[in-house]
Amino acid sequence: METQSPLLIGPFRQLISMEQLPVKGKLRDEDLPIWEEAGIIVENGIISAMGSFPHLMEKARAEGIPVEYLELDYVALPGLIDAHTHICFAGSRAMDYAARNNGKTYLEIAQEGGGIWSTVRHTREASRGDLAFLMKKRLDKMLSRGITTVEVKSGYGLSIQEELKLLEVIDLVGKWHPSDIIPTCLAAHIVPKDAKGEREYIQQILEELLPIVKRDQLCNRFDIFIEQGAFSPEVAILYLQALSEAGMNLTVHGDQFSTGGSEVAIQCGALSVDHLEASGEKEIEAISKSNTIAVALPGATLGLGCPFAPARKLLDAGAAVAIASDWNPGSAPQGDLLFQAAILGTFEKLSSAEILAGITYRAAAALGLSDRGRIQVGQVADIIAFPTSDYREILYLQGQMYPEIVWKKGKLVT
């Protein structure tokens, strides 16, 4: 690891540290830990000290620590975390969007040759270089909006060879992009048209794809879409249990159009279950009693015109709720996490604390990460600064205020 000299950053008019807040349950804005006129000392990409800026300035002068002095008012937050994206793809699904607005359902469009399979065709035709370029452009935009850790799924290859291509591209881009990339294998997105059936395809993934993924260390997370037109709960359970025995972390696309997916996720000990737009009281209660994190995807609601995930009810029941963009070419092409989180908060009546938790440390927990999502000593120094003196302005402006400064592991990147 490259050695970095200590650096003092500040002063921040407000520093929203998120430290010591619980992973599960509802939060009030009064619960937010807010440091005023604060500073942060970073060393080797890790936060080594934080507190009163004047006090840290004395320490910096005494120890010869350089200072990155902020002359304007800024609010500091932990780097944002998008825990569910599909940004390694080629092509457009504008035709799907128009068809939905003309009254066709998501499933009807898929049955007519649109939907996921349309993106699969475009992605298979794209070269590795094309996919890497497109993915980098999307990551650059996300980083400029304060997102410093991004989960990226495969899933638009839908064959052993093509899924490996996507995972290799995700791995390659992740090695040189400033953002931290968390790769996830979603080979079980839908059943390929040329497969004999869901059981046979799942077996093929386990026997042919999984060993290569493990050998080449392409990812340690697997996902499956449990839904009509995708994979049944019965097959998904067998698949996820086999993956768990192989040492993989699990996540599930569940309860998007019908229920059943969240039950499988909980039974198999998945880190998260994502979507949940169809979840009812039974599912909410079960999720709240489990350690599986609910990930709301407001981008899919905006893209499809379906209900939002019941984030308010989940939080009130004691569940952990993260928020992610679901950026993909079909159901969630908008891709702006901060905007989507603010809109979800408006419709689900979430506090600012609950929204910010959902895109920082609770999103980190959904990815199995404990070293980020909070500004505190020992955490990765992913820090973003918004040009305001009041943190409430950030969500109030609903995505119209982006961070002006982004530090990734203590290094200035925007």
Side-chain angles (χ1 to χ4, degrees):
M1 180 179 177
E2 181 183 351
T3 301
Q4 292 177 258
S5 300
L7 174 68
L8 169 60
I9 304 169
F12 297 102
R13 176 60 67 90
Q14 293 180 327
L15 188 157
I16 316 300
S17 68
M18 311 306 289
E19 58 187 336
Q20 298 182 351
L21 293 177
V23 172
K24 297 185 72 171
K26 56 188 177 181
L27 298 170
R28 303 172 304 161
D29 288 350
E30 293 80 6
D31 299 326
L32 281 175
I34 302 176
W35 300 54
E36 296 185 350
E37 302 304 323
I40 303 167
I41 295 180
V42 176
E43 187 171 0
N44 293 325
I46 303 296
I47 298 169
S48 62
M50 55 187 288
S52 162
F53 185 78
H55 175 75
L56 292 177
M57 179 66 88
E58 291 180 8
K59 174 181 173 68
R61 287 171 177 162
E63 299 180 12
I65 297 173
V67 179
E68 197 163 298
Y69 189 82
L70 306 177
E71 296 183 354
L72 302 178
D73 285 342
Y74 285 101
V75 170
L77 284 174
L80 306 183
I81 297 168
D82 198 335
H84 183 127
T85 83
H86 303 253
I87 59 171
C88 189
F89 69 87
S92 168
R93 299 250 290 278
M95 292 176 63
D96 290 13
Y97 177 80
R100 283 197 300 272
N101 287 349
N102 278 316
K104 290 191 176 181
T105 69
Y106 183 88
L107 294 177
E108 287 172 341
I109 293 167
Q111 290 167 356
E112 293 174 3
I116 291 170
W117 196 255
S118 172
T119 299
V120 170
R121 292 198 304 271
H122 287 108
T123 303
R124 285 182 173 182
E125 292 168 359
S127 68
R128 282 175 166 79
D130 290 338
L131 291 169
F133 174 76
L134 291 168
M135 181 175 158
K136 177 189 177 299
K137 283 183 61 178
R138 294 166 189 138
L139 286 170
D140 289 346
K141 180 177 288 188
M142 297 174 85
L143 189 61
S144 73
R145 294 173 175 174
I147 301 167
T148 53
T149 299
V150 184
E151 188 257 19
V152 182
K153 302 178 190 293
S154 67
Y156 293 126
L158 297 187
S159 72
I160 303 304
Q161 180 180 353
E162 292 295 327
E163 284 294 307
L164 280 173
K165 180 177 82 171
L166 293 185
L167 289 169
E168 287 166 358
V169 168
I170 294 167
D171 180 65
L172 175 66
V173 176
K175 286 177 178 175
W176 47 257
H177 197 273
S179 304
D180 281 333
I181 309 305
I182 310 300
T184 300
C185 180
L186 182 57
H189 201 172
I190 60 172
V191 181
K193 291 188 174 183
D194 53 358
K196 294 180 180 178
E198 60 173 339
R199 291 180 182 273
E200 290 77 10
Y201 180 55
I202 287 297
Q203 198 62 33
Q204 189 181 20
I205 295 172
L206 293 173
E207 293 178 357
E208 299 179 30
L209 181 59
L210 176 60
I212 300 174
V213 168
K214 291 183 67 175
R215 182 196 69 194
D216 296 345
Q217 298 182 329
L218 294 174
C219 73
N220 68 350
R221 282 171 51 87
F222 275 70
D223 194 351
I224 185 169
F225 186 18
I226 302 174
E227 190 54 73
Q228 298 175 21
F231 292 90
S232 66
E234 296 77 18
V235 168
I237 288 172
L238 298 175
Y239 179 58
L240 294 172
Q241 288 175 341
L243 291 168
S244 180
E245 291 171 3
M248 297 293 111
N249 291 324
L250 309 175
T251 183
V252 168
H253 280 61
D255 295 4
Q256 183 175 11
F257 304 112
S258 60
T259 57
S262 60
E263 182 179 355
V264 172
I266 294 165
Q267 180 177 336
C268 295
L271 284 172
S272 74
V273 56
D274 306 16
H275 274 297
L276 305 174
E277 294 91 343
S279 297
E281 297 299 330
K282 174 186 173 184
E283 290 74 28
I284 290 169
E285 181 181 4
I287 293 168
S288 69
K289 291 180 178 178
S290 77
N291 292 320
T292 297
I293 293 175
V295 181
L297 304 176
T301 292
L302 297 174
L304 297 176
C306 62
F308 287 99
R312 178 73 272 150
K313 290 182 177 181
L314 284 159
L315 287 163
D316 288 346
V321 177
I323 305 167
S325 73
D326 193 23
W327 190 354
N328 73 73
S331 60
Q334 196 263 352
D336 189 328
L337 176 62
L338 191 59
F339 164 75
Q340 293 174 17
I343 296 301
L344 177 69
T346 298
F347 280 87
E348 285 294 304
K349 303 307 176 190
L350 307 182
S351 70
S352 295
E354 289 166 338
I355 298 169
L356 295 177
I359 56 179
T360 56
Y361 73 92
R362 287 178 169 175
L367 296 174
L369 303 174
S370 59
D371 64 348
R372 66 197 66 200
R374 306 179 197 260
I375 298 177
Q376 65 184 48
V377 173
Q379 291 271 292
V380 173
D382 292 351
I383 305 158
I384 58 178
F386 291 84
T388 181
S389 59
D390 185 344
Y391 80 93
R392 293 171 296 188
E393 295 278 343
I394 298 168
L395 296 172
Y396 161 66
L397 293 173
Q398 296 184 322
Q400 294 305 300
M401 179 187 289
Y402 295 115
E404 283 190 352
I405 314 173
V406 178
W407 293 269
K408 179 62 187 172
K409 297 179 180 174
K411 289 186 176 180
L412 193 65
V413 291
T414 65

